[in-house]
Amino acid sequence: VDAAEHLANTAPKVNQALEEALPKAKDLSRDVVDAMRYSLFSGGKRLRPALCLAAAAAVGGEEHRAMPAAVAIEMIHTSSLIHDDLPAMDDDDTRRGQPASHKVHGEGMAVLAGDGLLVEGLTVLPRAALTGQLNPKLALAAHDVIAQAAGWRGMVGGQAVDLSAEGRDVDESLVAFIHGHKTAALISASVAAGAILGGGNADQIRALSEYGRLIGLAFQIRDDILDMEGDATELGKPTGSDERRAKATYPRAVGQEKAKQKGCRLIKDALAALADFGPQAKPLRAIAEYLLERTK
Ligand code: GRG
């Protein structure tokens, strides 16, 4: 399995499900829904949805059962990107190769587009349970994993520490906390939610969550490294912003070489967490390896 190809093949299916979940509004809500859609359809890699669907397959489940979780997660992830780019946070003008939400829609509307996507994301699984599209117990369990990972116990908590660590001296344990919460929590939840909806047992869900946590940390380390040595055009956002803002990054805490070694170690451990899975986990293995080499 080629991971880049796998991601490219998954994206259109996810985009179609997102389109069905968030069609254009025709009434006075049009502006905020347009702003939500602007960011949602601006060309993300759809990594978290791909992981979610691949985890359902890894436990022998049907991929389409995990699609509501994939949709929910991509909406929540996109909402965090909109808020992350705001002047009050990272103050970035470009995202996914296009002007950031607040550059197009204004700051107030960007705040609301993020709010709208966050809340919409949190409606998807409960509604799938209520309409009978999904087994209610499984839908609620997946919803819980995702909501916990998005809030103060996960992404919000990590972003808060990230914000207050700006400009300060950082050590490895602080960066591990930030990366573990702001990035790895939602990535791990993507895998766990897919495993739950795919009908995985407790051991499988635990192993896949751990795989997700490990690749999530490696993903953010790679993100830190790409901000230093990546190509801005390919990344779709400017590089060097971590350095300018003295952000808490892995390379800053331990040096670039050690950060790269740590990324490799994490991916090895992530593959080890998949030891009990057979060929159905091939896409998950391929994505783990791809995360070390990705250039965007
Ligand atoms: C809205 C619940 C909520 C929280 C807001 C702003 C914030 C709190 C959190 C920011 C979290 C954040 C931006 C973490 C960085 C994660 C990261 C490396 C994102 C880039 O992900 P990719 O590369 O992006 O998957 P694409 O564009 O491909 O989707």
Side-chain angles (χ1 to χ4, degrees), residues 88-115:
M89 298 239 189
D90 275 5
D91 194 11
D92 281 319
D93 291 353
T94 340
R95 169 70 69 177
R96 292 175 163 172
Q98 304 196 46
S101 178
H102 62 276
K103 286 280 150 190
V104 178
H105 305 283
E107 274 183 50
M109 194 58 96
V111 170
L112 291 169
D115 292 342

mmCIF file of all heavy atoms in Angstrom, residues 88-115:
data_model
loop_
_atom_site.group_PDB
_atom_site.id
_atom_site.type_symbol
_atom_site.label_atom_id
_atom_site.label_comp_id
_atom_site.label_asym_id
_atom_site.label_seq_id
_atom_site.Cartn_x
_atom_site.Cartn_y
_atom_site.Cartn_z
ATOM 1 N N ALA A 88 -5.024 36.498 17.321
ATOM 2 C CA ALA A 88 -4.883 36.254 18.762
ATOM 3 C C ALA A 88 -4.140 34.959 19.060
ATOM 4 O O ALA A 88 -3.714 34.726 20.194
ATOM 5 C CB ALA A 88 -6.259 36.204 19.417
ATOM 6 N N MET A 89 -3.975 34.107 18.049
ATOM 7 C CA MET A 89 -3.242 32.851 18.242
ATOM 8 C C MET A 89 -1.952 32.905 17.422
ATOM 9 O O MET A 89 -1.113 33.723 17.693
ATOM 10 C CB MET A 89 -4.129 31.664 17.890
ATOM 11 C CG MET A 89 -5.344 31.596 18.800
ATOM 12 S SD MET A 89 -5.465 30.073 19.709
ATOM 13 C CE MET A 89 -7.098 30.276 20.395
ATOM 14 N N ASP A 90 -1.843 32.081 16.381
ATOM 15 C CA ASP A 90 -0.566 32.056 15.649
ATOM 16 C C ASP A 90 -0.419 33.186 14.622
ATOM 17 O O ASP A 90 0.664 33.401 14.098
ATOM 18 C CB ASP A 90 -0.387 30.701 14.945
ATOM 19 C CG ASP A 90 0.212 29.667 15.877
ATOM 20 O OD1 ASP A 90 0.383 29.994 17.077
ATOM 21 O OD2 ASP A 90 0.498 28.537 15.432
ATOM 22 N N ASP A 91 -1.504 33.865 14.326
ATOM 23 C CA ASP A 91 -1.468 35.006 13.406
ATOM 24 C C ASP A 91 -0.838 34.639 12.059
ATOM 25 O O ASP A 91 0.163 35.232 11.656
ATOM 26 C CB ASP A 91 -0.700 36.170 14.068
ATOM 27 C CG ASP A 91 -0.921 37.485 13.331
ATOM 28 O OD1 ASP A 91 -1.816 37.540 12.454
ATOM 29 O OD2 ASP A 91 -0.203 38.454 13.618
ATOM 30 N N ASP A 92 -1.420 33.649 11.402
ATOM 31 C CA ASP A 92 -0.925 33.232 10.080
ATOM 32 C C ASP A 92 -1.908 33.682 8.993
ATOM 33 O O ASP A 92 -3.118 33.580 9.168
ATOM 34 C CB ASP A 92 -0.780 31.698 10.019
ATOM 35 C CG ASP A 92 0.499 31.239 10.698
ATOM 36 O OD1 ASP A 92 1.531 31.916 10.516
ATOM 37 O OD2 ASP A 92 0.464 30.215 11.410
ATOM 38 N N ASP A 93 -1.352 34.158 7.885
ATOM 39 C CA ASP A 93 -2.190 34.685 6.799
ATOM 40 C C ASP A 93 -2.600 33.625 5.785
ATOM 41 O O ASP A 93 -3.510 33.854 4.979
ATOM 42 C CB ASP A 93 -1.438 35.783 6.031
ATOM 43 C CG ASP A 93 -1.262 37.027 6.876
ATOM 44 O OD1 ASP A 93 -1.836 37.072 7.987
ATOM 45 O OD2 ASP A 93 -0.544 37.937 6.436
ATOM 46 N N THR A 94 -1.892 32.496 5.770
ATOM 47 C CA THR A 94 -2.168 31.474 4.756
ATOM 48 C C THR A 94 -2.381 30.117 5.407
ATOM 49 O O THR A 94 -1.747 29.794 6.407
ATOM 50 C CB THR A 94 -0.973 31.312 3.779
ATOM 51 O OG1 THR A 94 -0.170 32.459 3.831
ATOM 52 C CG2 THR A 94 -1.438 31.043 2.381
ATOM 53 N N ARG A 95 -3.261 29.346 4.794
ATOM 54 C CA ARG A 95 -3.543 27.991 5.297
ATOM 55 C C ARG A 95 -3.995 27.157 4.117
ATOM 56 O O ARG A 95 -4.800 27.599 3.317
ATOM 57 C CB ARG A 95 -4.638 28.096 6.361
ATOM 58 C CG ARG A 95 -5.243 26.805 6.794
ATOM 59 C CD ARG A 95 -4.305 25.950 7.605
ATOM 60 N NE ARG A 95 -4.007 26.485 8.931
ATOM 61 C CZ ARG A 95 -3.237 25.837 9.812
ATOM 62 N NH1 ARG A 95 -2.687 24.674 9.504
ATOM 63 N NH2 ARG A 95 -2.983 26.374 10.980
ATOM 64 N N ARG A 96 -3.495 25.955 4.027
ATOM 65 C CA ARG A 96 -3.874 25.051 2.938
ATOM 66 C C ARG A 96 -3.717 25.749 1.584
ATOM 67 O O ARG A 96 -4.548 25.612 0.685
ATOM 68 C CB ARG A 96 -5.309 24.537 3.136
ATOM 69 C CG ARG A 96 -5.434 23.597 4.352
ATOM 70 C CD ARG A 96 -6.868 23.168 4.654
ATOM 71 N NE ARG A 96 -6.919 21.996 5.537
ATOM 72 C CZ ARG A 96 -8.038 21.519 6.078
ATOM 73 N NH1 ARG A 96 -9.182 22.105 5.855
ATOM 74 N NH2 ARG A 96 -7.993 20.448 6.838
ATOM 75 N N GLY A 97 -2.661 26.573 1.487
ATOM 76 C CA GLY A 97 -2.334 27.235 0.221
ATOM 77 C C GLY A 97 -3.252 28.380 -0.161
ATOM 78 O O GLY A 97 -3.178 28.892 -1.284
ATOM 79 N N GLN A 98 -4.128 28.776 0.764
ATOM 80 C CA GLN A 98 -5.064 29.858 0.453
ATOM 81 C C GLN A 98 -5.062 30.863 1.601
ATOM 82 O O GLN A 98 -4.600 30.554 2.692
ATOM 83 C CB GLN A 98 -6.473 29.269 0.299
ATOM 84 C CG GLN A 98 -6.494 28.172 -0.751
ATOM 85 C CD GLN A 98 -7.892 27.858 -1.203
ATOM 86 O OE1 GLN A 98 -8.675 28.754 -1.474
ATOM 87 N NE2 GLN A 98 -8.198 26.576 -1.285
ATOM 88 N N PRO A 99 -5.614 32.053 1.364
ATOM 89 C CA PRO A 99 -5.694 33.020 2.463
ATOM 90 C C PRO A 99 -6.446 32.414 3.648
ATOM 91 O O PRO A 99 -7.438 31.707 3.462
ATOM 92 C CB PRO A 99 -6.478 34.188 1.859
ATOM 93 C CG PRO A 99 -6.335 34.046 0.385
ATOM 94 C CD PRO A 99 -6.179 32.584 0.104
ATOM 95 N N ALA A 100 -5.966 32.670 4.859
ATOM 96 C CA ALA A 100 -6.622 32.160 6.070
ATOM 97 C C ALA A 100 -8.042 32.722 6.144
ATOM 98 O O ALA A 100 -8.344 33.759 5.558
ATOM 99 C CB ALA A 100 -5.824 32.577 7.298
ATOM 100 N N SER A 101 -8.885 32.030 6.898
ATOM 101 C CA SER A 101 -10.298 32.414 6.989
ATOM 102 C C SER A 101 -10.479 33.891 7.320
ATOM 103 O O SER A 101 -11.238 34.610 6.674
ATOM 104 C CB SER A 101 -10.999 31.556 8.040
ATOM 105 O OG SER A 101 -12.346 31.945 8.170
ATOM 106 N N HIS A 102 -9.757 34.384 8.330
ATOM 107 C CA HIS A 102 -9.981 35.774 8.762
ATOM 108 C C HIS A 102 -9.511 36.781 7.722
ATOM 109 O O HIS A 102 -9.952 37.925 7.727
ATOM 110 C CB HIS A 102 -9.318 36.038 10.119
ATOM 111 C CG HIS A 102 -7.827 35.887 10.121
ATOM 112 N ND1 HIS A 102 -7.204 34.677 10.275
ATOM 113 C CD2 HIS A 102 -6.843 36.803 9.960
ATOM 114 C CE1 HIS A 102 -5.894 34.851 10.232
ATOM 115 N NE2 HIS A 102 -5.643 36.133 10.037
ATOM 116 N N LYS A 103 -8.608 36.344 6.811
ATOM 117 C CA LYS A 103 -8.143 37.243 5.751
ATOM 118 C C LYS A 103 -9.242 37.444 4.696
ATOM 119 O O LYS A 103 -9.275 38.451 4.013
ATOM 120 C CB LYS A 103 -6.894 36.658 5.077
ATOM 121 C CG LYS A 103 -5.661 36.760 5.931
ATOM 122 C CD LYS A 103 -5.116 38.165 5.812
ATOM 123 C CE LYS A 103 -4.404 38.640 7.029
ATOM 124 N NZ LYS A 103 -4.081 40.061 7.002
ATOM 125 N N VAL A 104 -10.110 36.438 4.565
ATOM 126 C CA VAL A 104 -11.171 36.512 3.556
ATOM 127 C C VAL A 104 -12.484 37.006 4.168
ATOM 128 O O VAL A 104 -13.177 37.839 3.586
ATOM 129 C CB VAL A 104 -11.409 35.113 2.934
ATOM 130 C CG1 VAL A 104 -12.530 35.153 1.911
ATOM 131 C CG2 VAL A 104 -10.128 34.592 2.308
ATOM 132 N N HIS A 105 -12.812 36.473 5.327
ATOM 133 C CA HIS A 105 -14.142 36.712 5.896
ATOM 134 C C HIS A 105 -14.138 37.717 7.043
ATOM 135 O O HIS A 105 -15.202 38.073 7.540
ATOM 136 C CB HIS A 105 -14.738 35.392 6.382
ATOM 137 C CG HIS A 105 -14.793 34.332 5.312
ATOM 138 N ND1 HIS A 105 -15.748 34.334 4.326
ATOM 139 C CD2 HIS A 105 -13.987 33.276 5.053
ATOM 140 C CE1 HIS A 105 -15.537 33.305 3.505
ATOM 141 N NE2 HIS A 105 -14.470 32.655 3.937
ATOM 142 N N GLY A 106 -12.962 38.130 7.479
ATOM 143 C CA GLY A 106 -12.867 39.014 8.638
ATOM 144 C C GLY A 106 -12.774 38.197 9.919
ATOM 145 O O GLY A 106 -13.174 37.034 9.957
ATOM 146 N N GLU A 107 -12.226 38.832 10.967
ATOM 147 C CA GLU A 107 -11.959 38.080 12.206
ATOM 148 C C GLU A 107 -13.224 37.556 12.884
ATOM 149 O O GLU A 107 -13.266 36.417 13.338
ATOM 150 C CB GLU A 107 -11.211 38.963 13.204
ATOM 151 C CG GLU A 107 -9.726 38.942 13.007
ATOM 152 C CD GLU A 107 -9.015 39.773 14.060
ATOM 153 O OE1 GLU A 107 -9.289 39.584 15.263
ATOM 154 O OE2 GLU A 107 -8.190 40.614 13.659
ATOM 155 N N GLY A 108 -14.241 38.412 12.950
ATOM 156 C CA GLY A 108 -15.468 37.994 13.641
ATOM 157 C C GLY A 108 -16.088 36.782 12.971
ATOM 158 O O GLY A 108 -16.445 35.793 13.629
ATOM 159 N N MET A 109 -16.167 36.840 11.650
ATOM 160 C CA MET A 109 -16.781 35.728 10.911
ATOM 161 C C MET A 109 -15.906 34.471 11.012
ATOM 162 O O MET A 109 -16.434 33.357 11.049
ATOM 163 C CB MET A 109 -17.010 36.132 9.451
ATOM 164 C CG MET A 109 -17.925 35.209 8.691
ATOM 165 S SD MET A 109 -19.568 35.055 9.435
ATOM 166 C CE MET A 109 -20.478 36.261 8.480
ATOM 167 N N ALA A 110 -14.578 34.654 11.070
ATOM 168 C CA ALA A 110 -13.688 33.484 11.207
ATOM 169 C C ALA A 110 -13.898 32.809 12.564
ATOM 170 O O ALA A 110 -13.925 31.579 12.658
ATOM 171 C CB ALA A 110 -12.225 33.902 11.028
ATOM 172 N N VAL A 111 -14.069 33.614 13.602
ATOM 173 C CA VAL A 111 -14.365 33.030 14.926
ATOM 174 C C VAL A 111 -15.641 32.203 14.825
ATOM 175 O O VAL A 111 -15.714 31.055 15.288
ATOM 176 C CB VAL A 111 -14.508 34.134 16.009
ATOM 177 C CG1 VAL A 111 -15.060 33.558 17.304
ATOM 178 C CG2 VAL A 111 -13.167 34.822 16.260
ATOM 179 N N LEU A 112 -16.660 32.788 14.185
ATOM 180 C CA LEU A 112 -17.944 32.083 14.078
ATOM 181 C C LEU A 112 -17.875 30.856 13.178
ATOM 182 O O LEU A 112 -18.509 29.832 13.461
ATOM 183 C CB LEU A 112 -19.025 33.048 13.568
ATOM 184 C CG LEU A 112 -19.404 34.137 14.567
ATOM 185 C CD1 LEU A 112 -20.275 35.193 13.906
ATOM 186 C CD2 LEU A 112 -20.109 33.535 15.779
ATOM 187 N N ALA A 113 -17.093 30.941 12.101
ATOM 188 C CA ALA A 113 -16.935 29.767 11.224
ATOM 189 C C ALA A 113 -16.308 28.623 12.019
ATOM 190 O O ALA A 113 -16.727 27.465 11.909
ATOM 191 C CB ALA A 113 -16.081 30.116 10.010
ATOM 192 N N GLY A 114 -15.315 28.941 12.834
ATOM 193 C CA GLY A 114 -14.691 27.921 13.693
ATOM 194 C C GLY A 114 -15.697 27.373 14.696
ATOM 195 O O GLY A 114 -15.823 26.159 14.867
ATOM 196 N N ASP A 115 -16.427 28.266 15.334
ATOM 197 C CA ASP A 115 -17.459 27.823 16.303
ATOM 198 C C ASP A 115 -18.471 26.918 15.615
ATOM 199 O O ASP A 115 -18.861 25.869 16.133
ATOM 200 C CB ASP A 115 -18.227 29.029 16.876
ATOM 201 C CG ASP A 115 -17.370 29.912 17.771
ATOM 202 O OD1 ASP A 115 -16.303 29.437 18.221
ATOM 203 O OD2 ASP A 115 -17.758 31.069 17.997
#
